[in-house]
Amino acid sequence: PVPGRCAYFVERKKRYCKMTPGPGRRFCGEHGQQEGETDRKRIPCPLDPKHTVYEDQLQKHLKKCNSREKPKPVYFVQDINAGLKDGTEITERQVPISSLSKEGLENLITKLKKASNGLELRLKEQILSHQALQEALNDPKNGESAFKHLKQQASILGNMEKLHLLGPGRCFVEFGAGRGKLSHWVDVALQNVENVQFLLVERATTRFKVDGKHKRRDSIFERLQVDIQHLCLKKVPILEKKKLPVVGIGKHLCGAATDLALRCLVESYTACCDGENEEPATKRSRTDKTEVASNNCADNESNKDDCKPVAGIVIALCCHHKCDWTHYVGREFFKSVGLGPLEFNYFQRMSSWATCGMREAATRASTSQESEDETNDTEEHEHEQTFSNTESGSDTLQGILTVEERKEIGCLCKRLIDHGRIEYLQQRGYKAALQYYTESAVSLENVLLTAVPSQSLIPEPTT
């Protein structure tokens, strides 16, 4: 053991404990009881059972425990972007796809193909790059996984540049920011641009953040540790103060998080900024909590003239099997083609068929190299391993559908869900599109959603 550290060997980690014991003791409080060094009893913390505390010091610990409930930030508004207030629309009980009869499955596929008839299902390929990442892309020290991430980030920046979103007087909001790599590269691309701000939205604490690499004094970075479901951008102090146009970005924004982010930008923020643009919001169900929030914000006439609308949205989509009818922004589209929450819940699970047959090979390839990005930046691989074996395994529908048929149906489910998002944005005055932004060999989730408002709504950059 290291001198001055606990002498207990942690078998699971194959190393000695790194905690510092009390004066005159060989073991820390956690392991001293196990070694008979102390009679004081340790119990799991009621706030977080992953750590323990002396029973006689429990009350003192609860006041300073890092897992204690902290005061909510000013931009926290409960369920402002949640969508439906409850699940009252979901009346029929769904069963596992593997338990469906052949007739039941065929009926679902018929509904899927009928609803998809006439939609633009063949996406254009728009694989771009950006000069800001060329040095990193050419660095031989980067392994295969790091290179794949860089190619995706370069293409996202290339698409942002094509939409004229990389400019001065903007606030870039990265949803599901993780380590903040996408914002970092946007910052590098804007190194000679003034009046740029970044908001990194992430509900979990994150290790290995790259925030320390931001050396420019004229760009401001701020982390918002909050679930997107409860984020009211209008109340973020830095946006209240400068009121810059917002650009929403995200790399592999998982499932329902995409819908929460779209509603955060297009409804709870834009509606609050423009009290006169209320028509789309009022068309929603009366059970939608965001309607109340939008109307409350719209009443604030003194602020509406100062706010700026959303300048653009660029989000790399991911994990459609984690979508949720409650949060989904395309519910009106689904209803218009004769579908409801029951079909949606089947389709979102069937969407995993689009990639499940390729995941094992991709996972093996992703572990072939070692680099800083591969050991610390694993969000994509985690996303690609979250599918359900029972729903998407190769033998689930043996004798009913071939592997290629499952893949085709899975892709169709993804496009149908995404089309609902496109119609949602179009109905609110945005020019929205889907495109392949990278090769499937780089990422199995290779579709990028982009949206910019009509010309009449695009704000002039603030310099």
Side-chain angles (χ1 to χ4, degrees):
V2 178
R5 297 294 176 89
C6 179
Y8 184 88
F9 186 79
V10 185
E11 187 65 33
R12 180 174 61 87
K13 297 184 178 180
K14 304 299 180 185
R15 62 166 175 77
Y16 284 95
C17 173
K18 296 182 178 180
M19 298 297 290
T20 303
R25 297 185 180 274
R26 295 183 62 238
F27 301 99
C28 66
E30 179 78 25
H31 300 119
Q33 186 176 353
Q34 299 180 36
E35 297 298 314
E37 191 176 58
T38 178
D39 293 331
R40 296 175 68 189
K41 184 180 179 181
R42 291 187 73 87
I43 60 174
C45 173
L47 299 178
D48 181 7
K50 292 181 180 179
H51 66 275
T52 61
V53 59
Y54 284 120
E55 188 175 29
D56 56 8
Q57 289 188 338
L58 177 60
Q59 296 306 316
K60 181 180 178 181
H61 170 79
L62 293 177
K63 295 178 180 178
K64 61 180 181 180
C65 179
N66 288 334
S67 298
R68 71 190 185 279
E69 185 175 356
K70 300 175 179 65
K72 296 291 191 295
V74 294
Y75 46 79
F76 181 97
V77 177
Q78 185 73 37
D79 293 330
I80 186 171
N81 306 313
L84 287 174
K85 187 174 183 178
D86 53 46
T88 53
E89 289 191 17
I90 304 175
T91 55
E92 296 185 59
R93 183 174 179 82
Q94 58 187 8
V95 299
I97 295 175
S98 56
S99 299
L100 285 173
S101 64
K102 183 177 181 180
E103 293 73 18
L105 181 62
E106 289 175 346
N107 184 43
L108 271 176
I109 295 173
T110 300
K111 287 184 177 181
L112 174 66
K113 292 182 176 180
K114 182 179 179 181
S116 305
N117 189 31
L119 302 183
E120 182 55 57
L121 301 174
R122 298 185 64 180
L123 306 185
K124 64 179 180 180
E125 193 174 86
Q126 195 154 284
I127 302 174
L128 306 176
S129 189
H130 195 279
Q131 186 62 36
L133 289 94
Q134 288 309 304
E135 184 177 347
L137 285 167
N138 295 327
D139 188 350
K141 294 181 181 179
N142 287 317
E144 181 182 357
S145 178
F147 180 70
K148 288 181 177 181
H149 284 293
L150 289 168
K151 286 193 71 173
Q152 293 173 70
Q153 290 153 349
S155 184
I156 292 173
L157 260 67
N159 278 276
M160 291 176 67
E161 186 174 52
K162 186 171 183 177
L163 294 171
H164 308 291
L165 296 177
L166 295 177
R170 307 273 191 213
C171 178
F172 295 89
V173 182
E174 183 179 357
F175 294 95
R179 296 176 59 200
K181 293 296 286 289
L182 185 56
S183 291
H184 166 72
W185 289 116
V186 173
D187 183 46
V188 172
L190 298 174
Q191 56 184 337
N192 297 319
V193 176
E194 298 180 349
N195 196 18
V196 177
Q197 299 175 1
F198 294 88
L199 295 176
L200 280 63
V201 183
E202 177 59 62
R203 66 181 178 182
T205 54
T206 307
R207 301 176 66 194
F208 309 113
K209 296 186 287 288
V210 297
D211 302 30
K213 295 184 178 181
H214 310 137
K215 299 178 181 179
R216 295 197 304 121
R217 295 182 179 179
D218 52 344
S219 62
I220 302 173
F221 281 78
E222 181 180 349
R223 278 191 173 263
L224 308 180
Q225 189 174 341
V226 62
D227 194 307
I228 305 170
Q229 181 170 328
H230 313 301
L231 173 61
C232 181
L233 279 177
K234 178 182 179 290
K235 295 187 176 183
V236 177
I238 203 167
L239 283 177
E240 276 191 313
K241 182 180 178 181
K242 290 199 172 183
K243 298 180 175 63
L244 295 175
V246 165
V247 178
I249 60 176
K251 176 175 174 283
H252 290 166
L253 195 54
C254 208
T258 293
D259 299 297
L260 295 172
L262 293 179
R263 193 175 280 110
C264 176
L265 293 164
V266 176
E267 293 187 33
S268 66
Y269 180 67
T270 303
C272 287
C273 288
D274 186 0
E276 297 174 356
N277 187 21
E278 295 181 48
E279 184 178 354
T282 57
K283 289 182 179 179
R284 297 193 309 277
S285 167
R286 289 293 176 181
T287 58
D288 193 334
K289 286 187 176 182
T290 56
E291 180 179 345
V292 178
S294 297
N295 291 338
N296 288 340
C297 291
D299 290 338
N300 192 350
E301 297 293 331
S302 61
N303 290 335
K304 72 177 185 179
D305 293 332
D306 295 328
C307 289
K308 303 292 184 182
V310 175
I313 301 170
V314 179
I315 295 175
L317 304 174
C318 183
C319 295
H320 294 73
H321 62 277
K322 285 192 172 183
C323 291
D324 189 295
W325 178 259
T326 302
H327 304 313
Y328 182 50
V329 296
R331 291 192 301 268
E332 292 303 318
F333 161 70
F334 257 63
K335 292 176 182 177
S336 71
V337 292
L339 302 175
L342 187 67
E343 290 83 6
F344 176 86
N345 283 310
Y346 281 121
F347 292 163
Q348 55 96 357
R349 286 182 288 161
M350 290 160 65
S351 69
S352 64
W353 296 351
T355 54
C356 64
M358 304 162 64
R359 292 178 191 272
E360 186 178 350
T363 303
R364 285 198 302 266
S366 71
T367 57
S368 61
Q369 299 277 346
E370 284 291 333
S371 74
E372 178 188 356
D373 271 309
E374 288 163 17
T375 54
N376 298 338
D377 191 4
T378 59
E379 79 273 7
E380 180 180 344
H381 311 316
E382 290 173 357
H383 288 322
E384 293 185 352
Q385 294 173 21
T386 56
F387 70 99
S388 167
N389 289 324
T390 59
E391 296 290 9
S392 54
S394 59
D395 59 345
T396 301
L397 301 169
Q398 192 172 14
I400 300 178
L401 296 172
T402 66
V403 172
E404 284 303 315
E405 286 173 333
R406 285 199 302 275
K407 181 180 176 182
E408 180 184 349
I409 291 169
C411 289
L412 207 55
C413 290
K414 282 176 171 283
R415 296 294 77 80
L416 190 68
I417 292 172
D418 289 339
H419 187 81
R421 292 164 168 167
I422 294 296
E423 280 212 1
Y424 167 83
L425 290 167
Q426 290 174 342
Q427 290 172 0
R428 284 155 179 78
Y430 287 82
K431 296 178 180 178
L434 298 168
Q435 51 264 315
Y436 293 117
Y437 77 103
T438 192
E439 301 92 346
S440 59
V442 173
S443 174
L444 302 178
E445 301 282 14
N446 61 341
V447 174
L448 188 71
L449 183 152
T450 61
V452 292
S454 61
Q455 289 297 321
S456 61
L457 296 178
I458 296 178
E460 291 295 327
T462 304
T463 56

